[in-house]
C-alpha cells in the first residue's frame, strides 16, 4: 500500500507514525496469556510507574484523548453542571459534542486569543450560582499545551486551580500534549499537574509517539470512584490492555516521552524562527511547544500544502497550523522553509 | 515484567496475545506520515477489502466490541425504542449498561438455554406495538457465535431476519466471534451476514488475534448515515487509524482470520471430546466454536484454575467456560485434560 | 363537547376527573401575583404540610408520576448503576423507558406473581458486585400499592429497606397510589414510608383526585442535593407552581386524600366481593386497595366494556383490571355487577 | 395563606395567576370519566381547533415550555447535531441545560443585541459542515416574541426559514409568547409560523393566562413521527389531559388568547412610553410585545422592587425587565410610574 517515498507532513502529531520503541514494547509484551481488562502484570506495573511519575492517586488507561477527557470530566460534572473552558478547547470545538452527549452537561466557553484562560474569563460564567434555571459550573478545563501551541506557566495553572477551588469547582487538564508542555518548561511531570492544583488530568501518549494510549489521572482518589465502571460503559476498556500498557512503558523508558517532546518542540522552534524572518509571513502565536501558527499569503497555501501538508486553521485569515512531531526532521523544516521563501519571493 | 515461563490459560480469547503477523503489519504500516482519522491509504484499502469480503455497503473501524455494538445499534434505535436480544447477550450482560446509557433505549431479553433465540421468543416482546407507554422494539440483536459457544445455522439467522423485517425491526449481529462461527460452518464471511438478512454487523478482530480492532459493517448504506459523527462522538475514532487498519489487513491476508479461528475451534473441539469422556464432567453446550462449557466438580475447580486459568460461568452450578484461542496448543489441551483426569480420579 | 349523560368507567383512576375541592382550591389560590417556580407562599406552606404529614426532610412538587419517579431515582442512581424492581413495576413496564433514557441506568426486573418483591428476588441481581462489566445495583424500587392492587405490609417494606441498606442500596417507593395503601392499612402517611426505611418516595396526588400533582419526598436531606436543578432540567418545574400546591393543599385539608382513598378502596372491595360470587369469574389478586383483577370469560369482555369501560390486563388470559376511584359510586358497582351476572348467565 | 391585599408585580407573566375563564373551562370539563392520556373528546376537539388556528399538521399538548421546546427540538436534532439560537434564547440560558441533557446535542449561540438573529449570525456556525469532529447544525431556533420583548416581522422569520432550509436545517420557534407577538403584529396565528416557514413551534399558553398548558406544533407530519413516545418518555404526557385541553379551549374561545395578549402588550407600551419620559431612565429595547427593558439608576432599584417586584436583568448595568400580563392594570402602571418619578426626583 505504502509505495514510493514515505510521505512527510507538518499536518498534525497524529499524522506521524509510532515510535519504533513503542512497537518493540508491544512485541515484547506479546508473550503467552495474560489476564484481560487490565488485570495483567504489564498494566499493573505501568500504572505504578505513571503514578510515581505524576504523583497521582489513581491512573487508568484508555484508547483516545476524547475518551480520557470525557470520562475524566464525568467524574467532575453531572448533567446539571457546566464545564468552563477556552473557546478553543478541543473538548469544545473538536470532539463532536462528546461531553454534551455523554455527560449531558453544558460547556461554557471563555473567549481567548492565545488558547489560555484566566480567572477573569472564568468568573464571567459564575453569575447564576444557585439559580435552578442555569447550569452550575462544577469544573474548569484547560489544555496544556493549548490548542494554539502555547504553554501555561506553573503559576498560571496554580492561579486557575486556586480560583476554581475557591468557587467549588475542580480543575481538569487536557494534557494531550502535556509532554510538550513539560519539555517546554523543563519541569518534571508531577510539577505540571499535581503540584499546581490539577484534580484530573488527561495524559496523552498518542500524539507523543504511541498508537493509541491515553491515561486518565486522578490526584484525589475520591474522584476516581466508579471510574472503572464508567470506562467500561463508555467503551474505553481495552480487553487486551497489556498492549496499551506496553506503549506507555516504552514512553516512560529512558524518558522517551521527554526525548520525543523535546525534539518536536525544537523542530517547531526552528520552524518558527525561520518563518519569522520571511517577509509576508506573520506568526500569530508564541511558539512554546510543538506547533507554529502563522498567517500565510492565501495564494501560496495550496502549493505549499503539496510540499508538506498542513492545516489551514482559519479560512478567513489563512492562518495555518504547522505541527512538529517526534519524527520531524531538520530536513523537513529546511525543505519547507526553502519552499516558503521560494514561493513568496517569486 | 514477564519473567519465567509464559503463562498459559483457557480463560478467554482476550487473554491470548496478538498474532505475530498482526504486529508485523503494524510495523509495516509505520512508514512516514499519513492522514489521520482514517483518511490514510491503509484504512481506505482495508475498508475496501472488508467490504468485498463481507459484501457490505459500508465498513467503519473502531477499537472495541462494545463500541462497535453500541454505535452500530444506535443506527437502529432511538431512545424510545428497544433492542430484543438473548438474555445471555454480551450487550445485555457484560457491557455495563453501555447501550442503555449511550442510546437511551431499553434492552428486552429473551430467555435462552443455549445462547440462541427464535422468533417465538422475540414475539413475546411485541405485545405493545403502538402503545406510547411502552418502548417500541426496532431491532433484534443476535450473537454469532453465541456467548455459549453455539452457532446459528444460516437458516436460523435468515428466519430471524425475516421475522424482524416482517415486524418493522432490523437485525444486528454481534460478531465478536464471527470468524469462529464462519470457520465452524465452513462458509465465507458474506454468507454469514449479508446473505442471511443481517442489517448491521459487528465484525470482531480482537478475539481473533488483533490488539484492538473491530469493524461496524452496514449492508444498507442508508443505515450508515451519520455514522462517522457518531463514532467520533462516541470516542471510538482512532486518530492514527492506519494501525487499526493494519491489524485487519493482517487478518485478511492469506485468510489469517480463518486459519486462526479454525485452529481455535479445533482445539475447543479436542478439549470437548476429551472432557466428555471423563466421568464427573458434564458438557452443558454443544461445542460448535471455540468455547467449551462444562460442569466441573466444585472441589476441583480452584486447583484446576491454578493449572490453566478459566472462568467459572455459573457459581451456583460450577459450570465453567473454557476458551481456546489462535495460540492455544494441543499441549495446552493435553496438559489440562491430564490434570482434570488426575484430580478427578484421586 | 361533553354532551349527554356523563360517561362512567372502571378503567383507571386517571379516567376519573378532579375532586371539586381541588378545583376550588385552585380558584382560591388565583389571587393577585405570586412568585413563580415555587417561591410563592402557597407552595411553601404546602411543602411544609407535606413534610409534617410524611415526616420528610424535603418535598418537591412536580407534574407527573413518571417525572417524580425518574427524578427521584436519579438521586439514587448514576448511569453505571441499576435499579431493581418488580417485573410489573410501572417504571419498568409503562414509562416508555424514561428511566433508562434520563438516568442512563438499567432496570433489573424481579419476577412477581402479585406485584410485590422480596429480598430473595432482589438478591438474584447481586451476583456481580464490583465487576466492571456489570451495572451495579444502587437502588430498589417498590410500588405501594402495587400495580396489581396489592399492598405491602409495613413489615414487608421494612424488611426490603433493611436488605437494601445492608447491601449499599437505597429504597425508592412509587406511591402513585400511596393514599390507597395507607387507607388500606389504616396507617398515617409517615408510617407508610419514613418509619419503614424508605429513602425517596413518589407521593401521588393525581390518581387521588388532583389534576396533575405529584411530590418527590426525601427522608434524607443529602439525597435531595441538587434536586431543584434536576427538576428544572427534567422539564418538571412548574412556573405557576402555586396551582400544583393548591391541589395538594386541598388533598391535605380535612384529610380529603384519605376520604377519597378510603372510598375508592371500599368500592373496589365491594366489586371484588360481588364478582367473587359470580360463577365463571376468577379473582386473580387480593383486593387490598382500589383495584380488582379478575379473569373474565373472553366472549363477554367486549360487551361489558361497553357498559363501563375497563382494561384487559392480559390478552392471553383475559385477565381484566377494574379500578375504583374517588368518584366511583355504589351504583356504578351495582350496575356493572348486574351486567356481569346478566351476560354470564345468558 | 393569601392574606391582606393581593400582591401586584411586574416580575413575569408567570407571576400572574390564571385567567378566570381558564378555571371555568377546567371546571366545565370535570364531568364524569374520560379516557386518559389524550384519548378524551376534550383533547381531540381542542387539538383540532389548534390545528385549524395554526394551520398545523399535528399538535400535541404538554405541561411546560421547556418540555415543549426540548421534545420539539428532539424531532430536529440527534446527539451529533447542533441547534443554532440567539445567545439570549431561553433554551440556551434558562432551561438548565435541558436540551443538552435530553437531546445530547450542542447549542450554538449567535450573539444578539435585541434577541433576534439573522442569517449572517447563523452562517458563522456553518464552517465545519461534513467534518466529523464538529457537531452538525440541523436546526435553528428563534423566540417569538424574543426574550428581549422584541418581535420578528413575518419577513424576518421567512428569511431565516429560507436560509435554514437552504442549508439543510429546520426552523423551530419558541412561541412561549407567540400570542404577544401575534397581537403586536396584528396577524392571525397561522401567519406567525406556518406561512413563514416554521417547521416546529412551541405555542405557549401558560404565560398567556393558563395554569400549565403548552403545545408542540408540527407543520410537517413526518417530523411528528414518534412524538407520542417521546412525550411519554420525557415525562410530559398528562394522564388527565382533558384539563390541559380545557385550558387551551378557554384561550381559543372568543379569542381570549388575543384579548389577553393585546391587553398585556398595551400595558407594556404604556409603561414604556411613560418611563421613556423620565430623566434618568433609558429604555434598552423597543417595546414590541409585553416587556419593557430599561436601565434604572442602581440606587433606586431595591426600593422600587418593594413597590412592584421586577427582575434585574443585568446586574452590571442595572438593566431591569418589566413584564405586563393579562391581568396587569392601568393602575399598576400608573402607580409604578409615579413611584419611579418620585424616587428619581428626590
Amino acid at each position: 500500500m505504502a509505495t514510493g517515498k514515505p510521505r512527510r507532513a507538518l499536518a498534525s502529531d497524529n499524522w506521524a507514525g509510532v515510535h519504533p520503541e513503542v512497537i518493540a514494547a508491544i512485541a515484547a509484551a506479546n508473550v503467552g496469556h495474560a489476564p484481560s481488562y487490565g488485570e495483567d502484570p504489564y498494566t499493573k506495573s505501568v500504572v505504578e510507574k505513571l503514578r510515581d511519575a505524576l504523583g497521582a492517586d489513581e491512573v487508568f488507561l484508555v484508547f483516545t484523548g476524547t475518551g480520557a477527557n470525557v470520562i475524566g470530566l464525568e467524574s467532575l460534572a453531572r448533567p446539571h453542571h457546566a464545564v468552563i473552558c477556552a473557546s478553543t478547547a478541543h473538548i469544545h470545538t473538536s470532539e463532536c459534542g462528546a461531553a454534551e452527549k455523554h455527560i449531558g452537561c453544558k460547556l461554557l466557553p471563555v473567549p481567548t486569543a492565545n488558547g489560555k484562560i484566566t480567572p477573569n474569563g472564568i468568573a464571567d460564567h459564575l453569575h447564576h450560582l444557585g439559580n435552578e434555571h442555569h447550569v452550575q459550573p462544577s469544573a474548569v478545563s484547560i489544555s496544556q499545551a493549548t490548542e494554539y501551541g502555547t504553554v501555561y506557566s506553573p503559576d498560571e495553572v496554580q492561579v486557575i486551580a486556586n480560583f476554581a477551588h475557591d468557587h467549588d469547582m475542580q480543575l481538569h487538564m487536557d494534557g494531550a500534549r502535556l509532554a510538550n508542555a513539560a519539555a517546554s518548561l523543563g519541569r518534571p511531570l508531577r510539577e505540571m499537574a499535581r503540584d499546581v492544583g490539577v484534580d484530573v488530568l488527561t495524559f496523552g501518549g498518542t500524539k507523543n509517539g504511541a498508537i493509541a494510549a491515553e491515561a486518565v489521572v486522578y490526584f484525589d482518589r475520591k474522584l476516581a470512584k466508579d471510574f472503572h465502571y464508567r470506562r467500561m460503559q463508555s467503551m474505553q476498556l481495552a480487553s487486551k490492555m497489556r498492549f496499551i500498557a506496553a506503549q506507555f512503558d516504552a514512553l516512560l523508558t529512558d524518558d522517551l516521552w521527554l526525548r520525543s517532546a523535546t525534539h518536536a518542540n525544537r523542530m517547531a522552534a526552528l520552524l518558527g524562527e525561520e518563518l519569522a524572518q520571511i517577509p509576508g509571513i506573520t506568526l500569530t502565536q508564541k511558539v512554546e511547544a510543538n506547533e507554529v501558527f502563522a498567517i500565510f499569503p492565501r495564494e501560496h497555501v495550496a502549493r505549499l500544502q503539496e510540499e508538506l501538508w498542513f492545516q489551514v486553521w482559519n479560512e478567513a485569515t489563512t492562518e495555518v497550523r504547522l505541527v512538529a512531531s517526534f519524527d520531524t526532521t531538520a530536513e523537513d523544516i529546511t525543505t519547507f522553509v526553502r519552499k516558503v521563501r521560494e514561493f513568496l519571493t517569486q
Side-chain angles (χ1 to χ4, degrees), chain A:
Chain A
M1 259 173 301
T3 60
K5 211 173 120 201
R7 186 170 184 180
R8 306 299 304 165
L10 293 166
S12 175
D13 12 29
N14 54 37
W15 280 49
V18 182
H19 197 286
E21 295 174 30
V22 168
I23 295 187
I26 289 174
N30 193 25
V31 176
H33 283 215
S36 50
Y37 299 113
E39 293 301 308
D40 64 277
Y42 303 91
T43 302
K44 290 183 175 179
S45 159
V46 163
V47 162
E48 218 41 57
K49 289 182 191 178
L50 283 166
R51 288 177 58 197
D52 283 353
L54 293 155
D57 275 18
E58 302 273 5
V59 172
F60 301 91
L61 306 184
V62 300
F63 289 107
T64 75
T66 297
N69 285 337
V70 168
I71 319 179
L73 282 169
E74 204 182 3
S75 302
L76 307 183
R78 298 197 65 168
H80 64 282
H81 286 143
V83 175
I84 299 174
C85 61
S87 59
T88 52
H90 197 266
I91 57 169
H92 184 56
T93 67
S94 307
E95 301 187 352
C96 200
E100 284 90 345
K101 180 182 180 195
H102 292 287
I103 307 175
C105 71
K106 212 175 174 82
L107 301 187
L108 299 175
V110 175
T112 173
N114 63 357
K116 293 156 74 170
I117 59 175
T118 62
N120 275 350
I122 297 167
D124 283 343
H125 286 297
L126 302 182
H127 290 310
H128 299 292
L129 302 186
N131 180 329
E132 71 201 331
H133 296 277
H134 299 274
V135 290
Q136 301 292 304
S138 66
V140 172
S141 178
I142 59 175
S143 302
Q144 175 77 312
T146 74
E147 291 76 8
Y148 262 136
T150 53
V151 174
Y152 287 93
S153 73
D155 278 358
E156 287 173 327
V157 177
Q158 184 71 66
V159 163
I160 292 173
N162 291 348
F163 183 84
H165 297 152
D166 287 349
H167 292 82
D168 279 330
M169 300 186 291
Q170 286 169 307
L171 181 58
H172 169 259
M173 177 179 276
D174 177 353
R177 294 189 181 95
L178 187 71
N180 301 97
S184 174
L185 294 169
R187 300 262 183 162
L189 287 172
R190 69 181 302 141
E191 292 185 15
M192 297 300 296
R194 182 208 167 75
D195 290 356
V196 287
V198 172
D199 297 292
V200 181
L201 165 72
T202 293
F203 180 41
T206 312
K207 288 184 160 67
N208 195 217
I211 292 180
E214 306 282 321
V216 186
V217 181
Y218 288 88
F219 299 104
D220 176 350
R221 183 160 288 113
K222 287 195 302 294
L223 296 174
K225 187 170 180 298
D226 295 336
F227 181 91
H228 54 303
Y229 301 111
R230 281 204 292 272
R231 176 173 58 179
M232 174 66 228
Q233 191 178 51
S234 295
M235 314 174 275
Q236 286 284 321
L237 180 64
S239 58
K240 297 180 178 176
M241 200 184 287
R242 57 172 145 158
F243 299 107
I244 298 188
Q247 297 177 57
F248 267 114
D249 201 38
L251 294 180
L252 292 174
T253 300
D254 299 333
D255 283 343
L256 173 60
W257 70 271
L258 182 57
R259 285 181 277 140
S260 292
T262 302
H263 173 80
N265 287 2
R266 199 175 295 141
M267 291 299 101
L270 174 62
L271 177 59
E273 287 156 21
E274 294 285 341
L275 290 177
Q277 298 168 28
I278 301 177
I281 302 284
T282 312
L283 295 206
T284 57
Q285 298 291 342
K286 284 191 205 168
V287 181
E288 297 180 334
N290 64 320
E291 297 182 295
V292 177
F293 287 80
I295 292 177
F296 274 25
R298 184 176 303 274
E299 63 273 27
H300 298 300
V301 166
R303 280 174 66 202
L304 283 167
Q305 283 177 321
E306 280 175 36
E307 298 297 324
L308 273 84
W309 186 266
F310 54 85
Q311 193 183 338
V312 176
W313 195 249
N314 184 328
E315 287 287 353
T317 59
T318 56
E319 182 184 32
V320 307
R321 184 186 76 158
L322 306 161
V323 187
S325 43
F326 76 90
D327 67 346
T328 300
T329 63
E331 193 194 333
D332 289 339
I333 303 300
T334 314
T335 306
F336 184 72
V337 168
R338 191 175 58 236
K339 286 290 175 185
V340 175
R341 285 188 189 278
E342 186 182 316
F343 291 172
L344 262 74
T345 56
Q346 278 172 347

